[in-house]
Amino acid sequence: MKKTLTKAQIRQAVEEAYAECKDIKGGVNAHYIPFLANVNPDLFGISLTLLDGTQISVGDTEYKFGVESVSKVLTAILILKQYGAEAVLKQIGADATGLPFNSIFAILLENDHPSTPLVNAGAISACSMVKPQGDSWGKWEAIINNFEALCGSRSEVLDELYRSESETNFQNRSIAWLLKDYNRIYDDVPMSLDLYTRQCSIGITASQLAVCAGTIANGGVNPVTKEEVFARDLAPKITTLISSVGFYQNTGDWMYTSGIPAKSGVGGGVLGVLPGLLGVAAFAPPLDEAGNSVKAQAAIKSIMNKLGLGVFNGDTVEIVD
Ligand code: DON
């Protein structure tokens, strides 16, 4: 079906979703990282980026929260750019684990590859692949510059969050060394783990994440800066990864009920991509048991339902002024 949406309709859907969801009380802040446990649980923002660069933002969309696992998407794009889709498939994989984000069981089950760059194991492996090899500072520059290009503005590490994560990341340390034993860490192990921890501790805003989502939806061209950040043929690869495992063991339910490939982080952020149409991000700290923001999920679902959008709907949608 052919469908036309106006920007005013989209703005209204975002505003209504904000109003509907802002008083939702479910969920708790991530408590296994002390810094995150203390973030104000009432913060809430939604931002949406259209492919002509229009941004629609409501609520706390300039608050810098921990990007956490959403960072896995951005660094997956970096290694896709540096190595190509085939090498990433071979060296990490593109399979859903069906298990929690930090599962060691998943690594033991599929010990020939870490499944996907969007769970902790594959994300640590991805950090080990980032070029230039053996150069911690150079690798970090590549990661943070890639963030800047995708989001259209610079981000910095939240130092207190980085310290908090580094002091408590015992499970990730086990994952990194187990992967080393399976020959799936392609650089120094402590360096690769530290890069992963540092990228998770980057402070990001919902409006920056919405621009990043818009860049993926726009086939690699940042809709705000107009820069070509990655090659168009990598866009379906990254959206496939997001749609297969973005909400970990809850991904099928998420896709079924929302219709939009999306990736969550335990800082409370969610980034959603509707290819060829828009990018969306929502942020609210309290999480469900799988580590996904309760309000951000509700808000994005509400927008999708109100506008009748969905990646599998088979509609041709045009957005007009
Ligand atoms: O590795 C961790 O445990 C955190 N730095 C990130 C986990 C995360 O965001 C999972 N996603 N919902």
Side-chain angles (χ1 to χ4, degrees):
M1 197 172 90
K2 271 197 156 177
K3 210 168 149 167
T4 304
L5 287 173
T6 65
K7 289 182 185 172
Q9 281 176 304
I10 297 173
R11 172 169 288 284
Q12 190 183 345
V14 173
E15 285 170 355
E16 285 176 9
Y18 180 83
E20 269 166 26
C21 301
K22 78 175 170 19
D23 296 322
I24 292 177
K25 290 287 175 236
V28 283
N29 286 24
H31 46 268
Y32 74 102
I33 299 173
F35 177 94
L36 296 179
N38 295 321
V39 175
N40 176 359
D42 295 326
L43 288 162
F44 178 39
I46 311 171
S47 189
L48 191 143
T49 303
L50 302 179
L51 303 194
D52 67 356
T54 303
Q55 271 208 279
I56 298 169
S57 296
V58 185
D60 301 309
T61 53
E62 295 308 316
Y63 180 86
K64 286 185 192 298
F65 57 93
V67 64
E68 297 297 343
S69 284
V70 184
S71 66
K72 292 165 177 163
V73 173
L74 289 83
T75 299
I77 292 172
L78 179 60
I79 57 162
L80 281 166
K81 279 172 75 170
Q82 292 185 335
Y83 290 83
E86 274 307 307
V88 171
L89 184 66
K90 194 160 154 257
Q91 291 184 237
I92 297 182
D95 270 339
T97 63
L99 289 163
F101 58 87
N102 55 0
S103 176
I104 288 181
F105 194 47
I107 307 170
L108 297 170
L109 279 175
E110 293 204 73
N111 60 26
D112 59 333
H113 64 89
S115 296
T116 163
L118 301 194
V119 298
N120 290 19
I124 296 167
S125 195
C127 286
S128 79
M129 285 174 73
V130 169
K131 294 175 185 173
Q133 286 288 294
D135 173 0
S136 165
W137 181 247
K139 283 164 87 95
W140 176 249
E141 280 291 291
I143 290 171
I144 198 82
N145 289 342
N146 180 56
F147 264 65
E148 181 171 2
L150 286 163
C151 298
S153 55
R154 195 79 182 164
S155 303
E156 306 289 344
V157 168
L158 299 172
D159 289 328
E160 207 185 323
L161 174 57
Y162 172 58
R163 272 197 299 280
S164 187
E165 293 218 25
S166 302
E167 284 162 7
T168 54
N169 63 349
F170 308 114
Q171 183 129 351
N172 288 340
R173 291 182 215 176
S174 315
I175 289 173
W177 285 108
L178 183 59
L179 287 175
K180 172 71 179 171
D181 195 48
Y182 292 155
N183 297 318
R184 292 297 163 189
I185 295 288
Y186 306 102
D187 206 335
D188 180 71
V189 177
M191 182 213 286
S192 305
L193 175 64
D194 181 59
L195 286 166
Y196 168 73
T197 310
R198 229 187 304 167
Q199 75 170 25
C200 285
S201 309
I202 288 172
I204 201 108
T205 66
S207 88
Q208 285 178 304
L209 271 191
V211 175
C212 175
T215 304
I216 302 168
N218 200 27
V221 176
N222 185 313
V224 175
T225 64
K226 314 296 181 204
E227 181 192 351
E228 184 183 322
V229 183
F230 61 85
R232 189 168 190 88
D233 62 345
L234 295 180
K237 303 296 180 206
I238 194 68
T239 312
T240 301
L241 293 174
I242 296 171
S243 60
S244 62
V245 77
F247 276 71
Y248 309 110
Q249 67 273 38
N250 290 0
T251 305
D253 285 352
W254 167 261
M255 285 301 300
Y256 194 93
T257 54
S258 72
I260 180 169
K263 179 76 204 81
S264 64
V266 292
V270 173
L271 160 153
V273 179
L274 262 191
L277 213 58
L278 57 85
V280 62
F283 153 67
L287 312 175
D288 64 17
E289 326 77 73
N292 305 317
S293 168
V294 172
K295 267 190 216 178
Q297 290 183 75
I300 294 176
K301 274 186 200 174
S302 162
I303 295 168
M304 295 295 291
N305 290 332
K306 276 185 213 313
L307 297 175
L309 295 173
V311 76
F312 300 124
N313 288 7
D315 295 331
T316 310
V317 184
E318 192 190 7
I319 297 175
V320 296
D321 284 329

